[in-house]
């Protein structure tokens, strides 16, 4: 029996990461061909009304889409 934390099951259909996955600056992470990256920081909302909150929320959505973390349909 093996005690490795990271392994690919026989056949290659499933890889298990039980340890740390470190992606270097040269490395890439993609989902369904779309590159993923950390999202740009969204500042805490200081909205005083619903319209301001909607603006802040839409800014967050745009940043998640730009990072590849949410599909743009």
């Amino acid at each position: 029996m093996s005690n490795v934390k990271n392994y690919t099951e026989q056949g290659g259909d499933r890889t298990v990461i039980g340890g740390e996955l470190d992606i270097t600056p040269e490395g890439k992470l993609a989902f369904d061909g779309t590159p993923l990256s950390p999202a740009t920081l969204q500042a805490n909302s200081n909205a005083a009304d619903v319209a301001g909150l909607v603006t802040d929320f839409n800014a967050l959505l745009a940043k998640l889409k730009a990072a590849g973390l949410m599909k743009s349909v």
Side-chain angles (χ1 to χ4, degrees):
M1 175 140 165
S2 177
N3 64 352
V4 297
K5 292 182 178 182
N6 305 331
Y7 60 91
T8 299
E9 291 185 350
Q10 192 166 357
D13 289 336
R14 181 172 183 243
T15 298
V16 176
I17 306 295
E20 180 175 318
L21 176 62
D22 185 14
I23 300 172
T24 65
E26 300 82 26
K28 295 179 182 179
L29 180 62
F31 179 76
D32 199 23
T34 301
L36 305 178
S37 61
T40 303
L41 177 67
Q42 174 66 36
N44 292 343
S45 178
N46 293 318
D49 56 22
V50 173
L53 186 58
V54 167
T55 299
D56 292 344
F57 183 72
N58 285 336
L60 173 62
L61 292 177
K63 290 174 182 176
L64 292 174
K65 290 174 186 175
L69 301 173
M70 180 180 290
K71 283 188 173 186
S72 296
V73 181

